[in-house]
Amino acid sequence: MKKNKKILVGIIGRNFGYNVIYRALLRSNLFKVSSFCFKNKKNIPNLPKNIKIYTDWKKIVKDKKVNALIVSAPPLTHKKILSYAVKNNKHIFCEKPCTKSSKDLKEVIYLINKKPFLSHMVNYTLAYLPAFQLLKKKIFHPKTIIKKAYLEWVIFNRSMDKSWKNYHMKGGGILFNYYCHTLYYLELIFGNIHSTKVDIKNHIKNENNYILGDIIFKSKIKIKIKILVGNLKKHKKSIHQLRVKTSDNDCLILSSSTKKLSDQFQLYKLKNIKSINSKKIIFSGNLSKTDFRISPTLANLKRFAKSINLKKIDRSSFFIANRIHYIINKSLISSKMNKRVIIN
């Protein structure tokens, strides 16, 4: 069997690009980092001398030796970068959200459809954590009957007021920072969404933003949703928990305190909801000081490499990212009209 050559990649973006994606790449022998693009050359992290440093991202895209582009810049810039990358025949691994709007992404997809040989993928991390994958297996087990489910995600907002992460129109806010992750992993675990009815508050300052309501899947499973973003003085605790009731007494619980980026998700079962003593650990993440996002990012990068080598589109493609945009837009309509909307 012919061994595939290492995929030469260029990375655009410093924060997540260096702290998570680059560190994930160091754990893989499938890729070789050829270049990095930063906004400026101030406080550049310590990188090997053979990695080229740029402040103009177009120079990476134009480099004919670079096979794939990793994009982790502010979403407001993604459409321009992605379009240019497609025109220059680059495979693309992009941090979420892929673009700041469905309109922008559709324009990128229009270009991609002309070049079906290109691989494209969005880095949805939560869905590929071990605890989430184990829950998916439990859900898909023939003997598992789901009575109901409840999702609670309370986030302590650390972003500065002027950060793009607080602005929905710039690809941030509660919908693009958190809800897109939720929608992706819920459809991966429970199947396609049929309808939703939610109330959304998504102001510029994430002091008291929320998504409250429910989602009904085509399988008729109904999940109640409560996502809150603000300060800990108001919400008291930080938590990400998905509870799936499988009988009158049994419950599968996926949970993390999410206080720190090193906090791991656990999966456990309560055989008696009223008794914490009935708790049975199914998966417990190892104690670590490592950013929990590195591991699923590495798993996604491996799938990205496979997509390139086999010339097959991955599930986390731009097409799926566009569906996430579509569901977010439908959710906004539901909130504005105060009614349930159908998701096709």
Side-chain angles (χ1 to χ4, degrees), residues 15-16 73-75 95-100 123-126 153 155-160 163-183 185 202-206 209 211 227-229 240 292-293 324-325 328:
N15 191 4
F16 197 92
E95 181 52 26
K96 65 84 195 163
C98 194
T99 56
K100 65 177 178 60
N123 186 33
Y124 295 108
T125 52
L126 292 178
W153 194 358
I155 305 108
F156 170 48
N157 181 40
R158 298 177 176 86
S159 300
M160 301 295 289
S163 170
W164 64 264
K165 293 182 179 180
N166 288 331
Y167 293 78
H168 176 72
M169 296 305 293
K170 293 183 179 180
I174 192 171
L175 295 170
F176 287 135
N177 280 334
Y178 309 105
Y179 197 41
C180 66
H181 267 308
T182 302
L183 293 172
Y185 77 64
N202 188 29
H203 289 177
I204 291 174
K205 291 185 180 180
N206 285 353
N209 290 342
I211 301 170
I227 304 176
L228 307 173
V229 177
H240 190 163
F292 81 89
R293 299 171 297 178
I324 300 299
H325 270 302
I328 286 174

Side-chain angles (χ1 to χ4, degrees), residues 280-331:
K280 179 184 177 182
I281 300 292
I282 298 173
F283 176 84
S284 179
N286 297 325
L287 290 175
S288 172
K289 293 182 179 180
T290 304
D291 189 324
F292 81 89
R293 299 171 297 178
I294 293 175
S295 176
T297 295
L298 175 59
N300 288 344
L301 284 165
K302 288 178 179 178
R303 287 170 38 229
F304 179 54
K306 186 176 181 180
S307 172
I308 292 172
N309 292 326
L310 297 181
K311 298 180 181 179
K312 289 186 178 180
I313 298 300
D314 187 85
R315 189 195 183 278
S316 301
S317 71
F318 288 3
F319 305 132
I320 291 296
N322 193 47
R323 174 170 172 78
I324 300 299
H325 270 302
Y326 163 73
I327 299 173
I328 286 174
N329 289 341
K330 282 286 191 176
S331 299

Side-chain angles (χ1 to χ4, degrees), residues 145-148 244-252 269-275 278:
I145 299 174
I146 300 171
K147 297 285 186 178
K148 56 184 178 181
V244 182
K245 197 173 180 182
T246 55
S247 71
D248 291 336
N249 292 314
D250 293 359
C251 188
L252 289 167
K269 182 176 182 179
L270 288 181
K271 291 190 175 182
N272 184 343
I273 296 173
K274 296 179 181 179
S275 174
S278 67

